[in-house]
Amino acid sequence: MTSLALPVFDPTDPDVMAERLPHEELLALRRTSPVSWIAQDEAARAGFPDHEGYWALSRHADVAAVSKDQVNFSTRENGVIIRFAPEMTREEVEQTGFLLINHDAPDHTKLRQIVSRAFTPRAINALHDGLKARAEQIVDDAVAKGVGNFVEDVAAELPLQAIAELLGVPQADRGKLFEWSNQMLSYDDPEVEGDQMTAFMEILAYSMALADERRTNPQDDILTRLVTADVKVGTEEGRGLTDDEFGFFMILLAVAGNETTRNAITWGMHAFLQNPDQWELYKRERPATAVDEIIRWATPVTVFQRTAINDVEIGGQAIAKGDRVGLLYASANFDEDVFEDPFRFDIMRDHNPHQAFGGHGAHYCIGANLARLEVDLIFRALADRDVDLTQLSEPRKLRSSWINGVKELRVAYR
């Protein structure tokens, strides 16, 4: 990191993100203007016609504080996605309010209590042995190929299989989840075929049919418990997820449980390839700290937003009621005031309060422990087999305003 001249740039610009995480520019923001007004043209703020831009929060302390503040900030007002495709309408933005992550309390609290049944320590522990065997088979199959795309061969497979196993989705259908989630998130990338709204409706219809089938023919599995859950909040009678609520939950899982973990694994492998001493260290010692360093380094979701519901002050800057605020996780996770030597990939890092799971407030990622397990199992499987990869090309990044995604990482397995 060398230049500290304040750039004029939008951290959500998909053209920037398609090339790299803009670490130098984010460092400049942290040091010179940690609460910055980012003016946007009409295309960049599609779906937010009443907003001329947003406030970008680049410091770890500010990102963490707003993540925990449900009194002054809302996800329901404008959702968490800070930038959509240029043709996005306000009506379509409001339709995303059905997603759990775009709910505020008390609705968020009620739904999260139902959904959390899929992610209890008992439920996750029950998956361990099965996912370990799957991770080992995934690595064996990749090595047998000799050469391939690490993203598809290894990184994408375990998250997809984990979702299928967790919810009782037939493993044969995991390819559908892969395609639908790609299409839903890749509206900024012309290389990815398919339509976002079509994929949205496809996964919604598929999920609603699953829920209806389990309600008609209950089984001893998580899916049945989700759609027939006996959860009581306050004076409200207990209930399970409705068909459409389960459908929206599956849409969220396809993103949070698939795309993000896939990219964490991919960027983790890339970091090991760029730092072979760390890979040798990992193979020798398997430190428990490695998983969170991989996730910090990858920061699969680079930014989410909140909307101020009161006049408030952040870092000395007045934020007006109704203003959008961008939580720049990709900046917070490399904040030199929090992380010692943040641009060093260090699997022994033991002070690692990263924000990659959305801070530690009400919207902290409900599947964080499952994601950690998947990352851990894949790298253990690679290390157990003493797999050493050779990188054959630079990663081809996804063009996205908020996902630090990789479409291709060509490697040789040996």
Side-chain angles (χ1 to χ4, degrees):
M1 301 298 101
T2 55
S3 172
L4 292 181
L6 181 63
V8 179
F9 90 114
D10 183 346
T12 70
D13 185 341
D15 286 329
V16 173
M17 294 296 297
E19 295 180 1
R20 61 192 169 86
L21 282 183
H23 283 308
E24 290 194 5
E25 294 91 335
L26 294 174
L27 175 60
L29 287 182
R30 287 197 300 277
R31 294 192 178 181
T32 63
S33 184
V35 183
S36 301
W37 176 253
I38 307 296
Q40 295 180 299
D41 61 26
E42 187 174 355
R45 51 188 168 85
F48 309 111
D50 297 330
H51 297 260
E52 296 183 356
Y54 67 94
W55 294 100
L57 308 187
S58 52
R59 288 190 307 198
H60 185 282
D62 294 332
V63 170
V66 172
S67 296
K68 299 172 186 175
D69 188 348
Q70 295 186 81
V71 174
N72 293 304
F73 294 94
S74 166
T75 63
R76 181 67 184 91
E77 288 294 310
N78 287 298
V80 298
I81 305 304
I82 196 167
R83 182 165 172 164
F84 292 98
E87 62 272 14
M88 190 72 167
T89 67
R90 181 62 195 175
E91 181 182 9
E92 289 170 336
V93 170
E94 290 175 352
Q95 288 173 356
T96 70
F98 292 108
L99 297 174
L100 176 64
I101 198 170
N102 290 337
H103 285 237
D104 291 333
D107 290 341
H108 176 265
T109 307
K110 296 172 185 175
L111 285 173
R112 188 175 172 108
Q113 283 195 285
I114 300 173
V115 169
S116 66
R117 292 193 166 198
F119 299 98
T120 63
R122 180 179 179 183
I124 301 305
N125 288 338
L127 295 174
H128 181 279
D129 291 348
L131 292 183
K132 179 176 183 291
R134 291 183 183 281
E136 292 167 350
Q137 188 62 56
I138 287 165
V139 170
D140 287 344
D141 290 345
V143 171
K145 290 180 64 175
V147 174
N149 176 8
F150 182 84
V151 177
E152 294 183 356
D153 297 342
V154 178
E157 269 299 309
L158 191 60
L160 287 168
Q161 293 187 28
I163 292 172
E165 187 158 318
L166 180 69
L167 295 179
V169 174
Q171 287 291 337
D173 287 347
R174 69 182 187 275
K176 295 178 182 178
L177 294 178
F178 179 80
E179 294 299 328
W180 288 331
S181 64
N182 277 352
Q183 292 167 23
M184 284 168 48
L185 288 184
S186 302
Y187 49 81
D188 280 327
D189 195 319
E191 289 188 7
V192 180
E193 297 181 355
D195 176 74
Q196 180 189 24
M197 292 308 297
T198 300
F200 182 94
M201 296 307 297
E202 290 276 9
I203 194 171
L204 185 62
Y206 178 86
S207 304
M208 291 171 70
L210 272 180
D212 183 62
E213 191 278 332
R214 279 301 196 281
R215 201 171 285 111
T216 304
N217 301 297
Q219 300 180 24
D220 184 18
D221 61 11
I222 289 292
L223 175 49
T224 300
R225 290 194 285 276
L226 283 174
V227 298
T228 60
D230 180 19
V231 176
K232 187 171 183 177
V233 180
T235 59
E236 183 174 297
E237 290 300 318
R239 66 174 181 85
L241 296 175
T242 64
D243 287 357
D244 58 346
E245 285 171 343
F246 179 73
F248 289 119
F249 169 58
M250 279 288 287
I251 289 169
L252 192 61
L253 263 188
V255 176
N258 170 24
E259 292 278 350
T260 55
T261 311
R262 174 206 311 180
N263 289 312
I265 292 170
T266 302
W267 284 121
M269 192 70 255
H270 183 257
F272 278 126
L273 290 167
Q274 299 299 306
N275 300 272
D277 61 310
Q278 293 291 296
W279 182 235
E280 293 302 319
L281 176 62
Y282 181 82
K283 287 194 293 184
R284 288 197 310 271
E285 300 193 22
R286 316 292 172 81
T289 49
V291 169
D292 274 303
E293 178 67 350
I294 288 167
I295 292 168
R296 178 193 78 90
W297 189 262
T299 310
V301 173
T302 62
V303 57
F304 272 156
Q305 72 174 355
R306 300 288 189 270
T307 300
I309 51 178
N310 297 302
D311 292 339
V312 66
E313 185 176 291
I314 304 175
Q317 173 63 54
I319 307 296
K321 177 181 178 179
D323 283 356
R324 293 188 297 137
V325 173
L327 309 181
L328 303 183
Y329 305 126
S331 178
N333 284 348
F334 291 84
D335 189 337
E336 59 282 356
D337 289 340
V338 176
F339 303 96
E340 182 179 354
D341 197 3
F343 297 99
R344 176 169 54 91
F345 179 63
D346 178 9
I347 62 171
M348 303 297 286
R349 189 183 299 275
D350 59 5
H351 177 66
N352 200 345
H354 64 75
Q355 300 291 297
F357 288 123
H360 292 277
H363 290 281
Y364 181 76
C365 177
I366 199 169
N369 288 334
L370 178 58
R372 286 190 174 100
L373 175 62
E374 293 167 19
V375 173
D376 180 63
L377 290 176
I378 278 292
F379 285 103
R380 283 183 181 274
L382 287 161
D384 285 347
R385 283 150 176 73
D386 198 23
V387 177
D388 288 318
L389 280 67
T390 301
Q391 184 175 322
L392 302 179
S393 63
E394 289 302 306
R396 283 204 311 120
K397 289 202 65 185
L398 178 71
R399 185 180 185 274
S400 172
S401 58
W402 60 280
I403 291 285
N404 186 25
V406 189
K407 294 183 289 189
E408 184 178 47
L409 177 62
R410 301 291 299 175
V411 298
Y413 305 96
R414 56 185 174 83

